[in-house]
Amino acid sequence: MLWSKIQTQLDKNHMSVYQLSKLSGIPSNTLYQYKNNGVQPTFKMMCRIADVFDVSLDIFRERGKTNDNSII
């Protein structure tokens, strides 16, 4: 689900994964792990991604209910 939010930013900025890799300094193989294998990026990597898009980390947050039905 996180990757869909990254993909939305890629689409909005007419950017490829390769371009994100070059601008963020995150290897493209790592980005494809996030995309294809559901690997979760570290906080540091998410900061780099947010910086490339010039957005707040908040747009990548998962909001809603947790498994115990409490609000996050």
Side-chain angles (χ1 to χ4, degrees):
M1 195 157 190
L2 176 59
W3 183 260
S4 66
K5 294 179 181 190
I6 295 171
Q7 186 65 55
T8 297
Q9 291 301 311
L10 287 170
D11 295 343
K12 281 173 97 173
N13 290 279
H14 308 286
M15 190 180 294
S16 67
V17 173
Y18 177 79
Q19 290 168 313
L20 176 59
S21 171
K22 291 301 176 191
L23 292 171
S24 66
I26 301 170
S28 58
N29 288 346
T30 301
L31 292 171
Y32 281 111
Q33 288 290 320
Y34 302 157
K35 179 179 181 179
N36 298 325
N37 298 328
V39 174
Q40 293 297 308
T42 63
F43 178 75
K44 182 179 178 180
M45 294 299 137
M46 283 310 304
C47 288
R48 287 180 173 184
I49 291 169
D51 286 347
V52 167
F53 296 128
D54 195 28
V55 297
S56 169
L57 284 171
D58 285 339
I59 68 160
F60 298 111
R61 286 184 59 208
E62 296 295 326
R63 296 181 186 237
K65 295 185 176 187
T66 62
N67 290 339
D68 64 359
N69 292 327
S70 61
I71 300 297
I72 296 173

